[in-house]
């Protein structure tokens, strides 16, 4: 699909310039989505090492899986920010930028002279986003905050896992939550700037973002004095809601209301007596008698094959799903039959990637390449007005790579 027209680019963020001093997951996720929408994203990395997520593994043809996931469509420049020349280069880029995103260790950006007050004084239209672990004040302000630590500190792990064992989520939920709030905040700030002409200073913390997502169990604790139990695949407030056995596997069934329970009993199991069992008629009763309910559902589901049960559930309008692993995801027909896969470039060659989840009907969002460390240093500095001789001198002094 064409990305441009005689009227100019159709990409939503075409012309928006982003400078990102970022690492790991949270900030890179936010800026990758900005790049997905057409923004020019310059990723400022450390000399030699770069974003430490580059070294997490070598799963994607020798390139780190996290880095491939989070950094396509960006330009990488490698700069020595400990040098005066390196810091001046970044400030020069920020003078012409629309957005600055950083998730360095607490206080690191300020020590580099990249504090929000200084940046917005130089460029009042700049949107400055600081992403921290615990916020800019409070007793945890200066703590290092990795995803697992925030999941634990926020109490997320207290409701995740099995009754016997707490567990962190299988993906970096706190990182992702914070990254998505950075993403939406930047979009909101740019929209407001269209009206006011002024930028913004935005603070997002992983802790606050995770706590926001814990609203349901938090309110149960606050107003009932009750800790929600860890439920595995089940649900603390709804039943039946779990994976149930079949003759050749299992199917996850999720009954959200009493009408769904009636449909499950009458249409799927052909068992009207079960529907009227006084222990199970209302959801609150089903939750109170969960063990007996699950046993009754499992006894009936185990008489059917997976295909038979799925067909009956779909026909009855009862929510259900396969319990897939990652191989099942990669092979999922919902991706292949909707043409969601594309090839993108990396320093190790082409790899598969999925289209962004935001689907514009008039334009396909770009699937940019994953940059090698410092791949775009020369191009970015040339656009900033540096001559080839100046860039060569910076390389000679090991200010850039």
């Amino acid at each position: 699909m064409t990305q441009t027209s005689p009227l100019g680019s159709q990409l939503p963020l075409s012309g928006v310039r982003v400078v990102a001093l970022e690492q790991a997951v949270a900030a890179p996720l936010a800026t990758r989505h900005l790049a997905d929408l057409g923004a020019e994203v310059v990723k400022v990395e450390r000399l030699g090492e770069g974003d430490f997520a580059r070294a997490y593994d070598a799963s994607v043809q020798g390139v780190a899986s996290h880095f491939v996931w989070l950094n396509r469509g960006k330009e990488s420049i490698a700069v020595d920010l400990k040098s005066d020349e390196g810091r001046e280069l970044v400030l020069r880029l920020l003078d012409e930028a629309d957005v600055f995103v950083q998730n360095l260790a607490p206080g690191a950006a300020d020590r580099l002279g990249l504090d929000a007050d200084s940046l917005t004084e130089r460029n009042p239209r700049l949107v400055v986003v600081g992403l921290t672990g615990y916020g800019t004040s409070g007793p945890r302000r200066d703590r290092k905050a990795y995803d697992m630590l925030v999941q634990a500190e926020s109490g997320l792990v207290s409701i995740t896992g099995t009754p016997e064992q707490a567990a962190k989520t299988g993906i970096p939920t706190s990182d992702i939550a914070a990254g998505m709030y950075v993403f939406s905040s930047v979009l909101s700030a740019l929209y407001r700037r269209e009206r006011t002409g002024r930028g913004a200073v935005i603070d997002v913390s992983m802790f606050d973002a995770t706590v926001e997502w814990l609203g349901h169990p938090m309110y149960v604790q606050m107003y009932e004095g009750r800790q929600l139990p860890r439920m595995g695949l089940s649900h603390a407030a709804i039943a039946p809601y779990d994976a149930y056995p079949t003759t050749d596997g299992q199917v996850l069934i999720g009954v959200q209301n009493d009408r769904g329970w009636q449909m499950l009993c009458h249409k799927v199991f052909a068992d009207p007596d079960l529907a009227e069992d006084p222990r199970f008629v209302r959801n609150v009763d089903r939750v109170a008698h969960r063990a007996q309910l699950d046993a009754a559902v499992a006894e009936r589901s185990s008489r059917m094959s997976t295909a038979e049960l799925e067909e009956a559930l779909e026909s009855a309008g009862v929510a259900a799903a396969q319990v897939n692993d990652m191989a099942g995801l990669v092979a999922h027909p919902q991706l292949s039959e909707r043409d969601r896969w594309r090839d993108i470039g990396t320093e190790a060659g082409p790899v598969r990637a999925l289209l962004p989840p935001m689907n514009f009907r008039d334009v396909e969002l770009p699937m940019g390449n994953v940059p090698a460390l410092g791949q775009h240093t020369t191009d970015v500095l040339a656009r900033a007005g540096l001559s080839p001789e100046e860039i060569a001198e910076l390389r000679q002094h090991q200010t850039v790579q």
Side-chain angles (χ1 to χ4, degrees):
M1 183 175 291
T2 303
Q3 293 181 353
T4 59
S5 75
L7 298 177
S9 176
Q10 300 176 47
L11 295 174
L13 295 184
S14 177
V16 172
R17 294 180 176 179
V18 180
V19 175
L21 192 53
E22 60 181 17
Q23 55 198 359
V25 175
L29 176 65
T31 58
R32 198 216 82 186
H33 281 318
L34 296 173
D36 288 339
L37 292 172
E40 172 192 307
V41 178
V42 174
K43 182 181 180 76
V44 181
E45 301 191 66
R46 289 181 292 274
L47 293 177
E49 177 187 4
D51 181 341
F52 55 71
R54 287 182 178 273
Y56 278 175
D57 60 44
S59 298
V60 187
Q61 300 178 177
V63 184
S65 54
H66 277 80
F67 197 83
V68 170
W69 166 38
L70 296 166
N71 290 284
R72 69 167 186 247
K74 303 178 186 179
E75 296 180 292
S76 170
I77 68 171
V79 179
D80 178 13
L81 286 174
K82 294 181 180 179
S83 69
D84 293 339
E85 296 88 348
R87 288 192 295 274
E88 186 57 39
L89 284 175
V90 173
L91 287 170
R92 189 165 174 174
L93 294 176
L94 289 170
D95 285 342
E96 302 299 323
D98 298 289
V99 180
F100 175 53
V101 177
Q102 65 86 13
N103 69 330
L104 301 183
D110 291 356
R111 290 191 294 273
L112 291 170
L114 300 174
D115 57 283
D117 289 343
S118 298
L119 295 179
T120 53
E121 183 177 353
R122 291 173 64 114
N123 180 0
R125 289 177 56 83
L126 186 65
V127 174
V128 179
V129 185
L131 198 163
T132 61
Y134 292 103
T136 57
S137 61
R140 296 289 192 274
R141 178 188 62 187
D142 296 325
R143 291 271 188 103
K144 288 187 176 180
Y146 304 130
D147 176 83
M148 180 184 68
L149 305 178
V150 177
Q151 288 197 37
E153 190 83 31
S154 67
L156 175 57
V157 298
S158 76
I159 59 167
T160 305
T162 66
E164 296 76 27
Q165 180 65 52
K168 69 179 183 64
T169 59
I171 58 172
T173 298
S174 294
D175 278 327
I176 293 170
M180 293 307 294
Y181 284 117
V182 170
F183 175 52
S184 59
S185 297
V186 167
L187 298 180
S188 300
L190 289 173
Y191 183 71
R192 188 181 70 174
R193 194 181 70 176
E194 291 299 302
R195 302 193 309 274
T196 67
R198 296 194 63 83
V201 177
I202 301 165
D203 295 304
V204 174
S205 85
M206 294 167 60
F207 184 76
D208 292 345
T210 308
V211 171
E212 171 63 29
W213 286 16
L214 289 168
H216 162 56
M218 181 181 69
Y219 278 115
V220 170
Q221 176 64 52
M222 289 169 63
Y223 289 97
E224 287 190 2
R226 178 167 61 91
Q227 165 73 35
L228 288 184
R230 296 185 297 272
M231 301 294 294
L233 287 177
S234 191
H235 194 293
I238 304 170
Y241 196 113
D242 211 329
Y244 296 95
T246 64
T247 59
D248 57 349
Q250 60 181 347
V251 173
L252 195 148
I253 299 173
V255 171
Q256 293 278 347
N257 50 49
D258 297 338
R259 183 178 66 257
W261 170 246
Q262 293 293 318
M263 298 302 291
L264 178 67
C265 295
H266 285 274
K267 300 294 186 181
V268 179
F269 295 148
D271 192 337
D273 291 339
L274 181 64
E276 301 308 319
D277 187 314
R279 298 172 299 173
F280 307 146
V281 172
R282 299 183 306 156
N283 181 66
V284 291
D285 299 320
R286 294 192 296 274
V287 170
H289 299 91
R290 186 187 299 274
Q292 300 95 316
L293 173 82
D294 283 343
V297 172
E299 194 276 328
R300 288 157 178 80
S301 69
S302 62
R303 303 171 191 169
M304 308 170 72
S305 71
T306 298
E308 289 171 339
L309 180 55
E310 282 199 311
E311 182 178 354
L313 290 164
E314 183 175 1
S315 178
V318 177
Q322 283 283 346
V323 183
N324 274 318
D325 56 13
M326 287 298 99
L329 170 63
V330 171
H332 205 295
Q334 195 67 13
L335 297 175
S336 58
E337 293 184 16
R338 293 169 57 239
D339 192 28
R340 301 298 295 170
W341 292 103
R342 297 289 184 273
D343 284 341
I344 60 172
T346 74
E347 57 190 302
V351 302
R352 287 205 299 168
L354 287 166
L355 283 168
M358 309 85 76
N359 300 293
F360 286 69
R361 291 192 177 184
D362 63 334
V363 59
E364 181 172 295
L365 298 183
M367 298 282 286
N369 295 332
V370 179
L373 177 59
Q375 179 180 344
H376 303 94
T377 299
T378 298
D379 291 343
V380 170
L381 296 184
R383 292 201 304 270
L386 276 72
S387 68
E389 293 75 20
E390 289 173 313
I391 297 172
E393 185 175 354
L394 289 169
R395 289 189 188 279
Q396 185 177 0
H397 293 163
Q398 297 186 331
T399 302
V400 301
Q401 177 181 336

